[in-house]
Amino acid sequence: MPLADVVLIMHFFYVLFVVGSLPLIWIGAYFKHSFVRNPLFRYLHLAAILFVVIESLLGVVCPLTALENSLRQVETESSFIQHWVHQILFYSFPEYVFTTIYIAFASLVAATFKWIPPQSR
């Protein structure tokens, strides 16, 4: 597997962690699962989305995207993984649309700290 595909898969899992953790926290809280109140998990989740928001506000390209693009310059063929993960991750919208979405999502993550606060054991 080309290294660029490995970076792309890592990027996919980062996005999955950021997006998937919020509904997981809400559902887990509803069913009273203790893992949703784990401070390490919750602060990592908050840090992950805040990193994306700060990148977007500063106009910085995601380091994983930059690394993948750099690696793809030396590779000539498109792999199956590259094709489908790119279809899932990347859209053509103006940058302000993404920044607005990131800020709204980060606000939901932060509000969840009030609604479902993390707790130490």
Side-chain angles (χ1 to χ4, degrees):
M1 177 181 298
L3 187 55
D5 286 349
V6 173
V7 172
L8 183 61
I9 291 169
M10 288 172 40
H11 200 176
F12 174 77
F13 281 113
Y14 185 90
V15 171
L16 187 63
F17 172 71
V18 168
V19 174
S21 291
L22 188 59
L24 185 66
I25 292 165
W26 292 347
I27 293 166
Y30 178 81
F31 288 108
K32 303 201 182 330
H33 293 294
S34 61
F35 78 91
V36 301
R37 295 188 184 270
N38 179 301
L40 178 62
F41 167 59
R42 296 293 297 282
Y43 286 109
L44 281 174
H45 182 233
L46 181 62
I49 186 59
L50 289 178
F51 180 75
V52 172
V53 167
I54 291 167
E55 279 179 335
S56 185
L57 289 172
L58 295 176
V60 175
V61 174
C62 173
L64 292 173
T65 301
L67 178 59
E68 182 201 349
N69 289 342
S70 175
L71 291 169
R72 295 242 183 256
Q73 287 178 1
V74 294
E75 297 178 21
T76 57
E77 57 191 54
S78 174
S79 71
F80 174 82
I81 293 170
Q82 176 193 4
H83 173 77
W84 287 106
V85 176
H86 266 270
Q87 293 291 99
I88 294 167
L89 287 180
F90 299 106
Y91 298 93
S92 295
F93 293 114
E95 191 61 35
Y96 75 89
V97 172
F98 292 109
T99 301
T100 303
I101 291 168
Y102 300 151
I103 291 170
F105 193 83
S107 298
L108 275 175
V109 171
T112 300
F113 269 77
K114 180 165 178 61
W115 301 326
I116 309 164
Q119 296 173 341
S120 299
R121 293 181 184 216

